[in-house]
Amino acid sequence: MKKKIYFVYISLSGNTQSFVQRLTTFLQFQSNLEIEQVHVKDLVKQNLPFYEVDAPFVSFLPTYLEAGNGIDNGDVEIITMPLSEFIAYGDNASKCLGIVGSGNRNFNNQYCLTAKQYAQRFGFPVLDNFELRGMQNDIERVGRKIMELME
Ligand SMILES: Cc1cc2nc3c(=O)[nH]c(=O)nc-3n(C[C@H](O)[C@H](O)[C@H](O)COP(=O)(O)O)c2cc1C
């Protein structure tokens, strides 16, 4: 029997969406997981209500922060808040296995900072991170971690 898992993500310029799609394809070949993608931006755009997921999920979150240094300023999240609202909806947070952050290393201390903030706020782990669209080795590493979590 296939085990169901959701990938809950938000993507503004398409990088995270590309990663989630390639990861889904990888896991469809390599695992027995049935993956359902939830792009929170689409729910918001189509005015669809948030809902409680009926299986575990992994979140994928790019970093969009106000300019700063990520230490004493520059940790204010912009644009991606709907993902946190979906996670906070009903009992969803308790089903989150962890979060995969994405970003750009040029942002130094702000690199993937929002994923770390979500992990602290909701009490789930940061599973991994990747830059921009992610490379094939990122896909395989994250994919293997998810397979282990679902064993
Ligand atoms: C306005 C803006 C702010 C950003 N701030 C950060 C940041 O603080 N830290 C970081 O690691 N990446 C930052 N990035 C880079 C994005 O997280 C990165 O491009 C990511 O791949 C975008 O994902 P998406 O295409 O799925 O929306 C920023 C990008 C933009 C456009």
Side-chain angles (χ1 to χ4, degrees):
M1 246 247 313
K2 288 201 168 216
K3 279 191 197 165
K4 185 169 179 180
I5 183 169
Y6 287 86
F7 288 168
V8 180
Y9 70 100
I10 190 160
S11 181
L12 284 313
S13 63
N15 289 343
T16 309
Q17 181 156 37
S18 162
F19 186 88
V20 167
Q21 188 50 52
R22 281 144 59 224
L23 179 65
T24 300
T25 303
F26 173 77
L27 286 170
Q28 278 165 347
F29 281 103
Q30 300 291 333
S31 77
N32 201 25
L33 297 174
E34 180 196 327
I35 296 154
E36 183 165 334
Q37 297 179 8
V38 180
H39 191 177
V40 175
K41 189 180 83 171
D42 287 345
L43 297 180
V44 173
K45 211 163 59 184
Q46 295 167 40
N47 252 326
L48 294 170
F50 287 175
Y51 55 89
E52 286 192 57
V53 293
D54 57 6
F57 69 97
V58 173
S59 298
F60 298 84
L61 173 65
T63 318
Y64 285 88
L65 291 167
E66 282 184 348
N69 60 23
I71 299 171
D72 41 36
N73 61 4
D75 65 355
V76 176
E77 181 182 359
I78 47 174
I79 336 178
T80 50
M81 283 78 83
L83 183 73
S84 71
E85 288 159 21
F86 188 91
I87 295 171
Y89 186 84
D91 206 20
N92 279 346
S94 70
K95 301 204 180 72
C96 186
L97 300 172
I99 190 161
V100 177
S102 63
N104 182 331
R105 285 189 200 276
N106 291 342
F107 286 86
N108 298 310
N109 287 314
Q110 285 186 209
Y111 177 61
C112 294
L113 185 58
T114 318
K116 295 176 198 162
Q117 292 171 333
Y118 279 31
Q120 203 161 36
R121 171 177 164 197
F122 292 108
F124 47 63
V126 177
L127 297 177
D128 213 322
N129 67 74
F130 65 90
E131 248 191 309
L132 301 171
R133 292 192 161 220
M135 312 285 277
Q136 183 60 23
N137 66 313
D138 297 314
I139 302 274
E140 292 177 12
R141 188 185 65 252
V142 172
R144 278 193 295 269
K145 282 188 189 175
I146 290 172
M147 285 190 266
E148 274 172 30
L149 284 170
M150 292 294 287
E151 264 172 11

